[in-house]
Amino acid sequence: MLDDHADTTTDVVGVLADRIAAHFGMGMDELKAAVSAAPHADPEATELVRWHGLLAASEAALDRAEDALVAALETRPSEVDDPTMDLAHRVNAAVATRDGRAMVIRFLLDPNAPGKKGFAAEQLARFGPRRGPAPQTSAPSRPATMPTTPQVGRAVRR
């Protein structure tokens, strides 16, 4: 049963590699070589090759996590202790990472994906990606102090 599962998860990397290869009309090895030779020639190819490499790395991490979990479960089949639960959480995190990277590749390959047509796509094509620093998304470390202003409607006596 585990072998069947391993075959289907490994297919995620292979299936997406086939889709990328079909999209560019060349094998992944050729595409990787072309991107290495001229990374700025085709930004789409460069991005897909990069994400495919990340996907393959996350698949390898998932395989290692699953192997560690299986080994732990084989030593104590009737008992799941904290270290074994930690391994199970590691497997879940690896699956989420792998699936997220696969979704990015599917998005990059889909010409009809949201944001690739319409006003947002036109703006991105016209102005290009944002090049400045990312805006702050967390709260400041110290709350800003409000300037004190006299209350409206109250007379100030001296």
Side-chain angles (χ1 to χ4, degrees):
M1 181 174 157
L2 287 175
D3 292 335
D4 293 339
H5 179 68
D7 290 341
T8 59
T9 58
T10 304
D11 285 346
V12 170
V13 177
V15 166
L16 290 175
D18 291 344
R19 287 186 58 196
I20 294 169
H23 182 75
F24 290 102
M26 64 177 75
M28 279 303 293
D29 291 336
E30 286 179 86
L31 186 60
K32 287 178 185 177
V35 165
S36 292
H40 300 292
D42 187 345
E44 180 187 24
T46 302
E47 195 69 7
L48 280 164
V49 166
R50 181 175 81 84
W51 279 101
H52 184 267
L54 292 171
L55 175 65
S58 63
E59 181 65 35
L62 173 59
D63 289 342
R64 288 189 303 273
E66 286 175 332
D67 291 344
L69 178 60
V70 168
L73 290 171
E74 286 175 347
T75 60
R76 293 187 171 164
S78 63
E79 181 181 327
V80 177
D81 55 1
D82 287 341
T84 305
M85 280 305 293
D86 289 342
L87 290 172
H89 291 303
R90 197 170 106 199
V91 168
N92 285 337
V95 168
T97 301
R98 191 245 356 243
D99 291 350
R101 290 174 177 178
M103 285 192 310
V104 169
I105 292 173
R106 286 187 203 106
F107 170 81
L108 292 172
L109 288 170
D110 183 3
N112 298 318
K116 289 192 171 183
K117 288 186 176 181
F119 182 71
E122 291 171 17
Q123 292 295 89
L124 183 60
R126 183 178 303 148
F127 299 115
R130 184 177 52 80
R131 302 208 193 291
Q136 183 176 349
T137 58
S138 60
S141 59
R142 286 187 356 206
T145 57
M146 298 292 290
T148 56
T149 57
Q151 293 178 346
V152 177
R154 269 190 150 171
V156 179
R157 296 185 186 193
R158 294 184 192 220

